[in-house]
Amino acid sequence: MKNRVTVNIAGGEYRLIGAEDEEYTRKVAAHVDSKINEVLKLANVSMIEATVLASVNITDEYYKALETADNLRAQLKDYLEDSGRMKAELSELKRELMRYRQ
C-alpha cells in the first residue's frame, strides 16, 4: 500500500509517496531537514549547496552504519562459532566424566 505524506524540508513542501507509514516518513523528512539546516548554520552556502553537503553527510552516516553493522555481524558470527566449539567441548568433557565415573 502506498502512503502519501506531505512534509516540509528546508522551507519547501514535498508530497512523498512510499510504503512506509506516515510517522516513519515524517521522521526521515525531519532528519533531512535537520541536516540541511545544520549545514546552513555552519556555512555560508546556497540552498542547493547545503542540500548537496547534507546529502554527503547523510550518505557518510549511512556507510559508517553499514560498516558498523557488518562488524557486529562478524563479531556475532565469531561468538556463535565460539559457542558451538564450547558446546562440543562440553559434550566431550561430559562423556569423559561419565567414563571415569564408571
Side-chain angles (χ1 to χ4, degrees), residues 5-16 20-37 54 58:
V5 181
T6 301
V7 298
N8 189 296
I9 300 173
E13 196 171 274
Y14 299 90
R15 186 174 178 121
L16 304 179
E20 293 77 13
D21 65 28
E22 181 176 344
E23 182 181 341
Y24 177 81
T25 302
R26 290 192 183 285
K27 184 169 80 171
V28 169
H31 182 70
V32 172
D33 183 59
S34 171
K35 290 296 183 176
I36 292 170
N37 286 322
I58 291 168

Side-chain angles (χ1 to χ4, degrees), residues 34-75:
S34 171
K35 290 296 183 176
I36 292 170
N37 286 322
E38 183 180 303
V39 171
L40 286 170
K41 287 178 187 171
L42 295 174
N44 186 22
V45 295
S46 70
M47 182 60 74
I48 291 173
E49 291 169 321
T51 303
V52 169
L53 292 171
S55 298
V56 169
N57 290 340
I58 291 168
T59 303
D60 177 54
E61 291 171 354
Y62 168 76
Y63 281 117
K64 286 178 179 172
L66 282 180
E67 186 177 331
T68 298
D70 287 343
N71 290 339
L72 289 172
R73 275 190 285 276
Q75 196 173 26

Side-chain angles (χ1 to χ4, degrees), residues 84-95:
R85 282 192 295 275
M86 288 179 191
K87 284 181 182 179
E89 186 177 334
L90 178 61
S91 292
E92 179 60 31
L93 290 171
K94 284 181 180 179
R95 282 191 291 275

